[in-house]
């Protein structure tokens, strides 16, 4: 599975750890940043959200300090369902019920171990469809 991933400076360390931890499980394309220097999270959220929204890539991961700024930015894009997850149970439901296509992590409020569990769960859980399909179709404003 190919996953595109980006962060801001607050999420930089966790991004690098995730890429390294899952290097044998997923193919990552790193959209930056490439150092922990201070950056603005929208500059890194938009390219990932654009490439998932356009269908170029199916899934992304975005990480900032709280997960809120980077997730809010991604969710401005049509077809993006970016889910802020801090426990595996939330990650599972974000896939099962919301068909989330971008996993958002709050680097400053999650342990490394929980973050790895969240990533593993998110990318091994499938959308349930059915009644959830109807609800997901109502999210976007046409
Ligand atoms: C950066 O200090 C911090 O504001 C950012 O990572 C994020 O938490 C914003 O929502």
């Amino acid at each position: 599975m190919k996953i595109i991933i980006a962060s801001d400076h607050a999420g930089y360390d966790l991004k690098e750890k995730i890429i390294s931890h899952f290097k044998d499980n997923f193919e990552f394309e790193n959209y930056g940043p490439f150092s922990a220097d201070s950056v603005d999270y929208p500059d890194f959220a938009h390219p990932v959200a654009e490439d998932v929204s356009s269908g170029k890539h199916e899934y992304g991961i975005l990480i900032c300090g709280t997960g809120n700024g980077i997730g809010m930015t991604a969710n401005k894009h049509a077809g993006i369902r970016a889910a802020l997850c801090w426990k595996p149970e939330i990650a599972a439901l974000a896939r099962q019920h919301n068909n989330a296509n971008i996993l958002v992590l709050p680097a400053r409020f999650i342990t490394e171990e929980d973050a790895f569990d969240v990533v593993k769960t998110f990318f091994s859980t499938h959308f349930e469809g059915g009644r959830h399909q109807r609800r997901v179709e109502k999210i976007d404003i046409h």
Side-chain angles (χ1 to χ4, degrees), residues 8-11 41 64-70 108:
D8 71 354
H9 52 284
Y41 55 77
C64 72
T66 60
N68 275 326
I70 212 158
R108 289 178 174 154

Side-chain angles (χ1 to χ4, degrees), residues 11 17 38 49 58-59 65-67 91 97 108 112 119 121 133 142:
K17 282 177 182 156
S38 183
E58 201 173 356
Y59 295 110
T66 60
H97 291 188
R108 289 178 174 154
E112 193 180 298
V119 170
T121 302
Q133 179 67 39
H142 301 288

Side-chain angles (χ1 to χ4, degrees), residues 77-135:
H77 292 252
I80 293 301
R81 293 176 299 278
L84 175 58
C85 301
W86 59 95
K87 292 283 169 200
E89 293 81 1
I90 296 171
L93 287 166
R95 290 287 309 124
Q96 287 165 346
H97 291 188
N98 312 117
N99 201 13
N101 47 18
I102 294 184
L103 168 63
V104 183
L105 293 166
R108 289 178 174 154
F109 298 91
I110 191 168
T111 65
E112 193 180 298
E113 193 186 344
D114 279 350
F116 292 162
D117 279 349
V118 164
V119 170
K120 195 163 71 177
T121 302
F122 188 92
F123 290 105
S124 60
T125 306
H126 298 285
F127 181 47
E128 285 178 356
R131 68 188 189 281
H132 301 297
Q133 179 67 39
R134 184 180 70 241
R135 293 164 185 166

Side-chain angles (χ1 to χ4, degrees), residues 7-77:
S7 70
D8 71 354
H9 52 284
Y12 173 78
D13 282 348
L14 184 58
K15 170 170 69 68
E16 296 303 308
K17 282 177 182 156
I18 286 170
I19 292 171
S20 160
H21 185 81
F22 290 102
K23 64 181 184 310
D24 296 331
N25 306 88
F26 306 119
E27 182 192 346
F28 288 103
E29 188 168 336
N30 188 350
Y31 279 42
F34 299 99
S35 81
D37 293 348
S38 183
V39 292
D40 298 333
Y41 55 77
D43 295 338
F44 293 87
H46 285 307
V48 166
E50 270 163 26
D51 283 355
V52 174
S53 177
S54 72
K56 184 174 178 190
H57 296 292
E58 201 173 356
Y59 295 110
I61 298 177
L62 290 171
I63 311 168
C64 72
T66 60
N68 275 326
I70 212 158
M72 286 175 185
T73 309
N75 277 319
K76 292 291 181 186
H77 292 252

